[in-house]
Amino acid sequence: MRVLVAGAGGAIGRPLVRQLIERGHEVVATTRSPAKLEKLRASGAEAVVMDGLDAASVGEAVARAEPEVVVHQMTSLAGTNDLKHFDDTFAVTNELRTRGTEHLLAAADAVGVRRFIAQGYTGWPYARSGGPVKTEEDPFDPQAPAPAMQLSLDALIRQEELVRAAPLQGVVLRYGSFYGPGASEPLVELVRARKLPLVGDGAGVWSWIHVDDAAAATVAAIESDVTGVFNVCDDEPAAVARWLPYLAQVVQAPPPRRVPVWLARAVAGASVVAMMTQVRGASNAKAKSHLGWTPRWSSWRDGFRHALGPGVSRATSAARARADAASCREG
Ligand SMILES: NC(=O)c1ccc[n+]([C@@H]2O[C@H](COP(=O)([O-])OP(=O)(O)OC[C@H]3O[C@@H](n4cnc5c(N)ncnc54)[C@H](OP(=O)(O)O)[C@@H]3O)[C@@H](O)[C@H]2O)c1
């Protein structure tokens, strides 16, 4: 198939392009930066410059590519980890999820694209009531876990509405929290510096996914003809109180500090408290049965050890982080 990947140079875009090429698909990879074209071409893709927030630029790129499938993997999260001011941190990403999706869908419609796959998010958007693990049948909470997250929740909901209403085969992949190459170095640095404490009882449940597994699920969605929303995460949703001390152990950091809720709320804000103590995890059963996909790293325990453990040296991950930063600066 001929597949246009918008946001091909990001944490998920890179393994996705690699896997698509390996499976014999033709890939048109987009970036905003002419300086990144060569690197994208080296991966075996055709590369084009496209600004996802500029309707004309999107229209031109999609019309020229004439893809059968469009994949929206554009976010703007590199170099930001301020969760206290969540909506500020996610402001451009929210635009990409709403306006960016509108531009891509309009361009896709104009050239008769058959399938459209968008990057969503699972986990904290689900209502924080009932059981700890949610399926796609469970509602998102209309009220975000904290006021500072409301615009980001609204953008995720709007993106799903846009894809559902579009006159093509639409899929939203609600990815769990990414880890793996290019996806978790800032998190690991926080844990090593003991700057990611265990808040309160640490009962917030997270669903993780290795970026290679997220890319594999995306390939499965591209190659299938199913539509709708799918949680794409591993088999083991886990409370922060379980995964955070384990992650510290894996990256050979001291155990995380413990911080009471009142102090975390004052210092880090209500978003962080909600994510550490209240949020729910997600079930991947629908993605497994409908996409015929199984995560290689079915548990974050094995995945963390493989992707972040002692075998992956600090030097390697620091070098990767420096290379990522350099490629961002070039951009
Ligand atoms: N589910 C999750 O947990 C999740 C999801 C997404 C990201 N993250 C995390 O966030 C961090 C950064 O993510 P990332 O590496 O994917 O980088 P990013 O900076 O979020 O960029 C991702 C892609 O979006 C593209 N992009 C950004 N703005 C654009 C625009 N206006 N028009 C067109 N394309 C645009 C970038 O393309 P160019 O820069 O080449 O133009 C890049 O290819 C990583 O740690 C990652 O793991 C996590």
PDB file of all heavy atoms in Angstrom, residues 183-198:
ATOM      1  N   ALA A 183      11.668   7.595  23.232  1.00  0.00           N
ATOM      2  CA  ALA A 183      10.353   7.853  23.818  1.00  0.00           C
ATOM      3  C   ALA A 183      10.372   8.063  25.322  1.00  0.00           C
ATOM      4  O   ALA A 183       9.420   8.614  25.869  1.00  0.00           O
ATOM      5  CB  ALA A 183       9.416   6.684  23.501  1.00  0.00           C
ATOM      6  N   SER A 184      11.432   7.618  25.991  1.00  0.00           N
ATOM      7  CA  SER A 184      11.350   7.650  27.457  1.00  0.00           C
ATOM      8  C   SER A 184      12.599   8.184  28.143  1.00  0.00           C
ATOM      9  O   SER A 184      12.699   8.119  29.366  1.00  0.00           O
ATOM     10  CB  SER A 184      11.031   6.242  27.977  1.00  0.00           C
ATOM     11  OG  SER A 184      11.766   5.263  27.265  1.00  0.00           O
ATOM     12  N   GLU A 185      13.547   8.738  27.371  1.00  0.00           N
ATOM     13  CA  GLU A 185      14.787   9.222  28.003  1.00  0.00           C
ATOM     14  C   GLU A 185      14.515  10.298  29.060  1.00  0.00           C
ATOM     15  O   GLU A 185      15.098  10.257  30.155  1.00  0.00           O
ATOM     16  CB  GLU A 185      15.768   9.735  26.939  1.00  0.00           C
ATOM     17  CG  GLU A 185      16.415   8.653  26.083  1.00  0.00           C
ATOM     18  CD  GLU A 185      15.514   8.120  24.968  1.00  0.00           C
ATOM     19  OE1 GLU A 185      14.381   8.628  24.827  1.00  0.00           O
ATOM     20  OE2 GLU A 185      15.932   7.192  24.250  1.00  0.00           O
ATOM     21  N   PRO A 186      13.614  11.281  28.790  1.00  0.00           N
ATOM     22  CA  PRO A 186      13.361  12.296  29.821  1.00  0.00           C
ATOM     23  C   PRO A 186      12.770  11.691  31.096  1.00  0.00           C
ATOM     24  O   PRO A 186      13.122  12.100  32.203  1.00  0.00           O
ATOM     25  CB  PRO A 186      12.351  13.251  29.155  1.00  0.00           C
ATOM     26  CG  PRO A 186      12.513  13.021  27.681  1.00  0.00           C
ATOM     27  CD  PRO A 186      12.889  11.571  27.534  1.00  0.00           C
ATOM     28  N   LEU A 187      11.898  10.677  30.933  1.00  0.00           N
ATOM     29  CA  LEU A 187      11.304  10.006  32.106  1.00  0.00           C
ATOM     30  C   LEU A 187      12.399   9.337  32.930  1.00  0.00           C
ATOM     31  O   LEU A 187      12.452   9.464  34.156  1.00  0.00           O
ATOM     32  CB  LEU A 187      10.283   8.964  31.622  1.00  0.00           C
ATOM     33  CG  LEU A 187       9.721   8.046  32.706  1.00  0.00           C
ATOM     34  CD1 LEU A 187       8.682   8.778  33.545  1.00  0.00           C
ATOM     35  CD2 LEU A 187       9.108   6.778  32.103  1.00  0.00           C
ATOM     36  N   VAL A 188      13.299   8.646  32.242  1.00  0.00           N
ATOM     37  CA  VAL A 188      14.368   7.932  32.934  1.00  0.00           C
ATOM     38  C   VAL A 188      15.276   8.932  33.672  1.00  0.00           C
ATOM     39  O   VAL A 188      15.679   8.690  34.822  1.00  0.00           O
ATOM     40  CB  VAL A 188      15.176   7.065  31.938  1.00  0.00           C
ATOM     41  CG1 VAL A 188      16.444   6.537  32.575  1.00  0.00           C
ATOM     42  CG2 VAL A 188      14.305   5.920  31.423  1.00  0.00           C
ATOM     43  N   GLU A 189      15.552  10.052  33.034  1.00  0.00           N
ATOM     44  CA  GLU A 189      16.392  11.057  33.702  1.00  0.00           C
ATOM     45  C   GLU A 189      15.717  11.563  34.976  1.00  0.00           C
ATOM     46  O   GLU A 189      16.368  11.765  35.995  1.00  0.00           O
ATOM     47  CB  GLU A 189      16.699  12.232  32.748  1.00  0.00           C
ATOM     48  CG  GLU A 189      17.716  11.883  31.662  1.00  0.00           C
ATOM     49  CD  GLU A 189      18.958  11.152  32.208  1.00  0.00           C
ATOM     50  OE1 GLU A 189      19.573  11.636  33.176  1.00  0.00           O
ATOM     51  OE2 GLU A 189      19.306  10.084  31.663  1.00  0.00           O
ATOM     52  N   LEU A 190      14.389  11.777  34.914  1.00  0.00           N
ATOM     53  CA  LEU A 190      13.656  12.227  36.108  1.00  0.00           C
ATOM     54  C   LEU A 190      13.766  11.191  37.229  1.00  0.00           C
ATOM     55  O   LEU A 190      13.992  11.529  38.394  1.00  0.00           O
ATOM     56  CB  LEU A 190      12.167  12.426  35.791  1.00  0.00           C
ATOM     57  CG  LEU A 190      11.755  13.686  35.034  1.00  0.00           C
ATOM     58  CD1 LEU A 190      10.251  13.679  34.774  1.00  0.00           C
ATOM     59  CD2 LEU A 190      12.135  14.944  35.812  1.00  0.00           C
ATOM     60  N   VAL A 191      13.615   9.924  36.863  1.00  0.00           N
ATOM     61  CA  VAL A 191      13.672   8.852  37.872  1.00  0.00           C
ATOM     62  C   VAL A 191      15.077   8.781  38.468  1.00  0.00           C
ATOM     63  O   VAL A 191      15.248   8.662  39.689  1.00  0.00           O
ATOM     64  CB  VAL A 191      13.249   7.504  37.246  1.00  0.00           C
ATOM     65  CG1 VAL A 191      13.489   6.347  38.203  1.00  0.00           C
ATOM     66  CG2 VAL A 191      11.775   7.553  36.833  1.00  0.00           C
ATOM     67  N   ARG A 192      16.096   8.899  37.607  1.00  0.00           N
ATOM     68  CA  ARG A 192      17.485   8.830  38.112  1.00  0.00           C
ATOM     69  C   ARG A 192      17.778   9.990  39.060  1.00  0.00           C
ATOM     70  O   ARG A 192      18.524   9.833  40.029  1.00  0.00           O
ATOM     71  CB  ARG A 192      18.468   8.869  36.945  1.00  0.00           C
ATOM     72  CG  ARG A 192      18.516   7.546  36.190  1.00  0.00           C
ATOM     73  CD  ARG A 192      19.849   7.368  35.473  1.00  0.00           C
ATOM     74  NE  ARG A 192      19.909   6.044  34.886  1.00  0.00           N
ATOM     75  CZ  ARG A 192      19.917   5.803  33.581  1.00  0.00           C
ATOM     76  NH1 ARG A 192      19.907   6.810  32.715  1.00  0.00           N
ATOM     77  NH2 ARG A 192      19.964   4.573  33.129  1.00  0.00           N
ATOM     78  N   ALA A 193      17.173  11.144  38.746  1.00  0.00           N
ATOM     79  CA  ALA A 193      17.425  12.323  39.585  1.00  0.00           C
ATOM     80  C   ALA A 193      16.495  12.369  40.799  1.00  0.00           C
ATOM     81  O   ALA A 193      16.480  13.347  41.539  1.00  0.00           O
ATOM     82  CB  ALA A 193      17.255  13.595  38.742  1.00  0.00           C
ATOM     83  N   ARG A 194      15.695  11.317  40.988  1.00  0.00           N
ATOM     84  CA  ARG A 194      14.679  11.231  42.073  1.00  0.00           C
ATOM     85  C   ARG A 194      13.727  12.424  42.030  1.00  0.00           C
ATOM     86  O   ARG A 194      13.291  12.934  43.051  1.00  0.00           O
ATOM     87  CB  ARG A 194      15.347  11.125  43.436  1.00  0.00           C
ATOM     88  CG  ARG A 194      16.131   9.860  43.623  1.00  0.00           C
ATOM     89  CD  ARG A 194      16.535   9.700  45.075  1.00  0.00           C
ATOM     90  NE  ARG A 194      15.571   8.968  45.870  1.00  0.00           N
ATOM     91  CZ  ARG A 194      15.519   9.016  47.204  1.00  0.00           C
ATOM     92  NH1 ARG A 194      16.346   9.788  47.873  1.00  0.00           N
ATOM     93  NH2 ARG A 194      14.634   8.311  47.865  1.00  0.00           N
ATOM     94  N   LYS A 195      13.416  12.855  40.801  1.00  0.00           N
ATOM     95  CA  LYS A 195      12.486  13.984  40.657  1.00  0.00           C
ATOM     96  C   LYS A 195      11.074  13.517  40.292  1.00  0.00           C
ATOM     97  O   LYS A 195      10.227  14.327  39.957  1.00  0.00           O
ATOM     98  CB  LYS A 195      12.998  14.958  39.589  1.00  0.00           C
ATOM     99  CG  LYS A 195      14.192  15.757  40.058  1.00  0.00           C
ATOM    100  CD  LYS A 195      14.591  16.795  39.033  1.00  0.00           C
ATOM    101  CE  LYS A 195      15.769  17.614  39.559  1.00  0.00           C
ATOM    102  NZ  LYS A 195      16.422  18.358  38.478  1.00  0.00           N
ATOM    103  N   LEU A 196      10.867  12.194  40.293  1.00  0.00           N
ATOM    104  CA  LEU A 196       9.528  11.665  40.041  1.00  0.00           C
ATOM    105  C   LEU A 196       9.120  10.882  41.286  1.00  0.00           C
ATOM    106  O   LEU A 196       9.374   9.687  41.397  1.00  0.00           O
ATOM    107  CB  LEU A 196       9.526  10.751  38.810  1.00  0.00           C
ATOM    108  CG  LEU A 196       8.137  10.386  38.282  1.00  0.00           C
ATOM    109  CD1 LEU A 196       7.397  11.626  37.776  1.00  0.00           C
ATOM    110  CD2 LEU A 196       8.239   9.368  37.158  1.00  0.00           C
ATOM    111  N   PRO A 197       8.470  11.566  42.244  1.00  0.00           N
ATOM    112  CA  PRO A 197       8.152  10.893  43.508  1.00  0.00           C
ATOM    113  C   PRO A 197       6.875  10.076  43.424  1.00  0.00           C
ATOM    114  O   PRO A 197       6.064  10.263  42.523  1.00  0.00           O
ATOM    115  CB  PRO A 197       7.969  12.070  44.473  1.00  0.00           C
ATOM    116  CG  PRO A 197       7.529  13.208  43.622  1.00  0.00           C
ATOM    117  CD  PRO A 197       8.089  12.987  42.235  1.00  0.00           C
ATOM    118  N   LEU A 198       6.717   9.185  44.376  1.00  0.00           N
ATOM    119  CA  LEU A 198       5.485   8.422  44.542  1.00  0.00           C
ATOM    120  C   LEU A 198       4.539   9.312  45.353  1.00  0.00           C
ATOM    121  O   LEU A 198       4.838   9.663  46.486  1.00  0.00           O
ATOM    122  CB  LEU A 198       5.828   7.140  45.306  1.00  0.00           C
ATOM    123  CG  LEU A 198       4.893   5.969  45.247  1.00  0.00           C
ATOM    124  CD1 LEU A 198       4.489   5.646  43.812  1.00  0.00           C
ATOM    125  CD2 LEU A 198       5.597   4.765  45.860  1.00  0.00           C
TER     126      LEU A 198
END
